[in-house]
Amino acid sequence: MKIVVLVKQVPDSGADRNLRSDDNTVDRASASNVINEMDEYAIEEALRLQEAHGGEVVVLTVGPDRATESIRKALSMGPDSAVHVVDDALHGSCAVATSKVLAAAIAQQQADLVICGAESTDGRVQVMPHMIAERLGIAALTGARKVTIEKGTSVTIERQTDEGYEVVTASTPALISVWDTINDPRYPSFKGIMAAKKKPLQTLSLGDLGIAAGEVGFEGATSTVVEHSKRPPRQAGNKIDAGDDGGSKLVEYLASEKFV
């Protein structure tokens, strides 16, 4: 079984994140960049499936040169190899264009399973798994909290919902997106960190995928950020002093805010 895990390098959500003033894209150059948190759970699930059923785990990333740092971090957890799609023309790509690039790269791998996080912390649109599966013509088993493989040809997940879970089954090849309830990602060992430096890393350009520069980036984008601004600072709240009419004032305030 061949499993491709999608990994994205994102600005650390625990640090200050900004958009660039020149083109309204995420300022990644000055940010503290890390592996998208949800993708670590995807890597762990791929490794557990490999341990149970054998096969190969390949990490796939689309991003600038500096994304290599996150690729090596992912490899240190245990995957066998990685593919990095890097091209200056990709800057400014929307989700639709990015899904086209990822689908083309995945198609070259001829994977039995594609596993990714349910969302990225810098985008949080949760559309990438569905877009990629549609482009590849395979089933999308999204929002998984548990994955089971039967004879390498059938995959069943428990899809997490607000009310409980749904059981969804499909034949391979298929794409699975996971939530952080599915497992506990392992920490890279020193041996794993050293081994990651020697693991195969293939670099691909848009030309290698048969995609023209005009299909991605700002030129190929289906959406555009017109302007942006910082979130305004929080204002002081309303204070109601306790007293004979305190209860009435509280009810009046709640009514004015349409809470009652």
Side-chain angles (χ1 to χ4, degrees):
M1 176 181 295
K2 188 173 187 179
I3 305 174
V4 170
V5 186
L6 305 185
V7 173
K8 184 179 184 181
Q9 186 182 61
V10 298
D12 189 347
S13 58
D16 190 30
R17 294 177 291 180
N18 300 288
L19 297 182
R20 288 171 44 164
S21 59
D22 57 343
D23 59 14
N24 295 320
T25 61
V26 177
D27 185 0
R28 303 182 189 279
S30 63
S32 175
N33 296 299
V34 297
I35 294 178
N36 178 52
E37 180 183 359
M38 210 68 69
D39 296 344
E40 294 190 24
Y41 295 88
I43 296 169
E44 176 63 30
E45 193 61 24
L47 294 174
R48 293 189 182 193
L49 291 174
Q50 181 190 41
E51 291 166 357
H53 303 281
E56 177 185 4
V57 176
V58 180
V59 171
L60 173 59
T61 295
V62 173
D65 290 331
R66 57 183 168 274
T68 303
E69 302 169 1
S70 292
I71 293 174
R72 291 300 180 188
K73 168 68 182 301
L75 288 174
S76 70
M77 293 176 66
D80 302 289
S81 61
V83 176
H84 184 188
V85 181
V86 55
D87 198 300
D88 290 341
L90 286 166
H91 180 66
S93 294
C94 65
V96 176
T98 301
S99 71
K100 185 172 188 175
V101 176
L102 283 167
I106 292 168
Q108 289 190 358
Q109 294 298 312
Q110 298 182 326
D112 299 292
L113 281 181
V114 181
I115 305 181
C116 61
E119 65 178 9
S120 62
T121 56
D122 60 343
R124 313 204 73 167
V125 292
Q126 298 184 27
V127 298
M128 197 58 65
H130 307 81
M131 288 182 173
I132 295 172
E134 177 68 20
R135 289 186 182 277
L136 294 173
I138 61 177
L141 307 180
T142 55
R145 72 171 196 177
K146 182 179 179 181
V147 178
T148 305
I149 303 293
E150 295 290 341
K151 299 180 181 179
T153 59
S154 176
V155 56
T156 299
I157 71 162
E158 291 183 3
R159 172 180 287 151
Q160 182 175 315
T161 69
D162 292 336
E163 294 77 27
Y165 68 91
E166 303 168 343
V167 177
V168 187
T169 300
S171 59
T172 57
L175 183 147
I176 302 170
S177 69
V178 303
W179 287 111
D180 55 2
T181 52
I182 196 168
N183 56 47
D184 293 313
R186 66 194 67 186
Y187 289 101
S189 64
F190 178 75
K191 181 179 179 180
I193 294 172
M194 298 305 295
K197 298 178 180 180
K198 299 180 181 179
K199 289 182 178 179
L201 171 56
Q202 181 184 17
T203 301
L204 299 176
S205 66
L206 289 175
D208 296 324
L209 300 176
I211 298 176
E215 299 177 61
V216 299
F218 291 109
E219 186 177 350
T222 60
S223 59
T224 303
V225 178
V226 178
E227 62 179 348
H228 71 275
S229 60
K230 283 284 190 180
R231 179 185 300 173
R234 296 184 63 177
Q235 302 296 317
N238 294 315
K239 182 179 180 180
I240 298 176
D241 294 324
D244 294 339
D245 60 348
S248 299
K249 289 181 178 179
L250 178 59
V251 172
E252 290 175 2
Y253 171 74
L254 293 175
S256 67
E257 298 294 325
K258 296 182 171 54
F259 285 114
V260 296

